[in-house]
Amino acid sequence: MPPPPQKEPPRSFTARWAALKNIPPFLVMVWRAAPHLTIATMVLRAIGAFVPVAILWIAKLILDEVVRLAALPDTPDGLAGWWHSGLADHLITLVALELGIGIASDIIGRLLRLVDSLLQERLVIDLSMRLMDHAAALDLEDFEDAGFQDKLERARRQAAGRMSLMGTIFEQLQDSLTIATLGAGLIVYNPWLILILLVGLIPAFLAEAHFNARSYNLDFRRTAERRETDYLRQTAASAETAKEIKIFDLHRFLSGRYLDLSRKFYAEARRIAQARAAWGALFSALGSLAYYAAYAWIVVQTLTGDLSIGDLTFLAGSFMRVKGIIERLLSSFGSTAAQALYLEDLFDFFREVPEIASRPDAIPVPRPIRQGFVFENVGFRYPNTEKWAVRGLSFTLHAGETLALVGENGAGKTTLVKLLARLYDPDEGRILLDGRDLRDYDLDDLRAAIGVIFQDFVRYAMTAADNIAVGRIEAREDRGRIEAAAHSALADQVIARLPAGYDQMVGKRFVQGVDLSGGEWQKLAIARAYMRDAQVLILDEPTAALDARSEFEVFQRFRELMAGRTAVLISHRFSSVRMADRILVLHLGRIEAQGTHVELLDQPGRYRELFELQAAGYR
């Protein structure tokens, strides 16, 4: 199967601006995150939008009033004279009004910063939760695909890095309202003033949009390399890799590889930055020419008497404000278009739909399971591969039976387990549970009925108690159950040596964390199986990191755990698999033989060959 075609970044101007369709759903996300805070920021910004025109208009009235009073034939002497004469009452009122607006503007600005910061925090939380919830709903197949990993990486970056877009959009709405009020005043005096501004600023806006799109295209193409640089940074300075890095002297290789990738990315980014700076300087000069042409008209009109000093102040201030706001608005629109391209990555991730999901009419898993599982000619191959991982599998796992899977690496043992837990669905055949197709059952209920310990279990950077509780996380507060599970897995002996016992943070990721040996970690993982108390137990090399004594003791406990349960055991150690009721020997994805340990030893074949090879190592 050829790999699926990868999404290409938008290249045409139309395609880039089409990404603005992502702005409305983004604003819906903002609203859902915190409706009251969204309303508050909109109201505050609407009030703030009228502040500039109000201040400029009052300044005009103040200047005109000062000019009028200064032209009076008989004017009072000193401040007291003006105050008692009453001639300055209107001027004083205007100054007091301007002071009040200034204070109100400062309060609004501070409130707006507070509301926006809270709204951004709420949006980050809400978006991160959506990202984690959606990722949890997707298929294992997605996470094992490199293309999906690139998409997930871009989505993570946007969830954390696009919050400035919210403030940008709200500022644009406020700026647009301010321009409408200031522009109305300019148009009253001369409509050509606005047109001159636009002619000078639109080319700079188009250039900015072009370079924003180029930057996005570069980021998009470099997603895989950026993931690799992140991996190299983590690998080169990690507690998990430090021993091998030092022993094999790998730091030069890793840092050299990181430097090569970073230099390539830097070279392309520098070319874009240089071109942006050159064109930006040219268009900035064009905008300045337009501004001073309009400003010259205002000065001439004032000198000829067509405009008052107050009009000059209002127009010059309005023109300067409008120029600055339009310049910022056009630039931010370009930035918004660029960020909307990045939002496409986020929404593209949210559009991913899992193939493995519960049907609308899904039924609960029977309790107890009475018949067991039946594999009917099951075949499966991993995405984008031609080779079948398993094919033609037909066997029964009876209820209450312990079944062992034996075979060399790549025989299909772990794949069979993934199919049983419905982490994948078969490409051929079907799997039945008590006579019904596995796909007929509610997916969450099915997985709740199955407990799995994989060989590559996760070492959670949490407390020892939480590392066990993840086996049945809804019982996290049941300390008695956690301690019982630890005792059954012999993990209580490990925990007893920890400074804070069950409340000790394990792993070296966080301060005061205590690292464990491989065998100690594995005992915590085994305790999860006891914590889960599932109907079906799957153990994939559960004792690989344990010494012989610990392995013997753990398997003695496993006998108790598996009593009355349906269990699947994968192990390369024949001392372990011999406890199974029945053994399946897998080779190249097919069942080569099956029977009890004694039956398989009595007949020539792969099982006896592997047993004798392993036994020879102990002679």
Side-chain angles (χ1 to χ4, degrees), residues 12-13 44 145 155 160 175 186 207 261 290 309 356 366 380 382 393 404 464 477 491 551 613 615:
S12 68
F13 184 83
L44 290 171
D145 175 66
D175 286 345
L186 292 176
L261 291 171
I309 296 298
I356 299 176
F380 173 78
Y382 288 96
L393 294 183
E477 301 302 323
E551 180 186 21
L613 284 172

Side-chain angles (χ1 to χ4, degrees), residues 325-576:
I325 294 174
I326 290 180
E327 201 169 40
R328 184 173 70 241
L329 192 59
L330 292 180
S331 177
S332 67
F333 270 134
S335 174
T336 301
Q339 294 197 56
L341 289 171
Y342 288 98
L343 276 179
E344 183 68 24
D345 295 326
L346 184 63
F347 291 126
D348 192 34
F349 172 75
F350 283 133
R351 283 190 288 269
E352 287 285 328
V353 178
E355 295 180 7
I356 299 176
S358 298
R359 293 173 175 174
D361 56 348
I363 59 176
V365 172
R367 287 178 172 78
I369 295 173
R370 299 186 181 279
Q371 301 172 27
F373 297 83
V374 177
F375 280 61
E376 293 184 347
N377 196 34
V378 169
F380 173 78
R381 58 185 175 187
Y382 288 96
N384 309 322
T385 60
E386 295 289 343
K387 179 184 177 182
W388 290 88
V390 294
R391 199 171 196 189
L393 294 183
S394 295
F395 68 93
T396 299
L397 171 59
H398 301 286
E401 179 185 31
T402 297
L403 180 70
L405 304 179
V406 174
E408 296 165 296
N409 291 335
K413 303 184 296 298
T414 300
T415 299
L416 190 152
V417 166
K418 290 177 180 178
L419 292 170
L420 191 64
R422 231 194 135 199
L423 296 174
Y424 284 99
D425 281 334
D427 294 320
E428 292 180 348
R430 61 178 183 164
I431 304 172
L432 305 180
L433 170 58
D434 278 7
R436 296 287 296 265
D437 193 305
L438 212 57
R439 286 168 281 209
D440 291 340
Y441 294 101
D442 180 81
L443 187 59
D444 291 336
D445 198 43
L446 173 66
R447 290 178 180 167
I450 297 176
V452 186
I453 301 177
F454 286 110
Q455 183 178 2
D456 54 345
F457 60 86
V458 178
R459 304 181 181 195
Y460 294 98
M462 302 176 183
T463 65
D466 283 343
N467 263 274
I468 298 172
V470 294
R472 182 70 70 182
I473 197 62
E474 59 269 24
R476 179 173 177 261
E477 301 302 323
D478 189 345
R479 180 56 65 89
R481 181 170 177 169
I482 293 172
E483 292 178 359
H487 175 72
S488 297
L490 303 179
D492 57 340
Q493 302 170 8
V494 176
I495 296 171
R497 295 192 293 269
L498 298 177
Y502 285 89
D503 297 319
Q504 176 65 53
M505 182 73 70
V506 291
K508 298 299 290 182
R509 180 176 292 271
F510 301 114
V511 176
Q512 297 181 340
V514 175
D515 204 8
L516 305 176
S517 68
E520 290 172 332
W521 274 111
Q522 192 147 28
K523 287 180 180 179
L524 289 182
I526 292 170
R528 295 170 196 164
Y530 289 92
M531 184 73 185
R532 193 157 186 79
D533 194 25
Q535 290 197 79
V536 182
L537 186 62
I538 299 174
L539 308 172
D540 185 357
E541 293 287 354
T543 60
L546 300 181
D547 57 61
R549 182 183 298 276
S550 295
E551 180 186 21
F552 175 78
E553 293 173 345
V554 166
F555 267 109
Q556 290 299 108
R557 303 290 179 90
F558 271 151
R559 289 181 187 274
E560 302 170 9
L561 175 64
M562 292 187 290
R565 288 185 172 85
T566 306
V568 177
L569 172 63
I570 299 175
S571 180
H572 288 97
R573 299 187 183 184
F574 289 89
S575 59
S576 304

Side-chain angles (χ1 to χ4, degrees), residues 398 400-404 562 565 567 577-583 595-597 599:
H398 301 286
E401 179 185 31
T402 297
L403 180 70
M562 292 187 290
R565 288 185 172 85
V577 301
R578 66 192 307 166
M579 66 181 286
D581 300 315
R582 189 158 48 98
I583 301 168
T596 66
H597 174 70
E599 290 170 347

Side-chain angles (χ1 to χ4, degrees), residues 51-70:
V51 169
V53 68
I55 289 178
L56 285 171
W57 185 253
I58 291 173
K60 162 195 157 40
L61 296 178
I62 289 174
L63 278 176
D64 284 343
E65 183 66 7
V66 168
V67 170
R68 186 187 70 81
L69 293 175

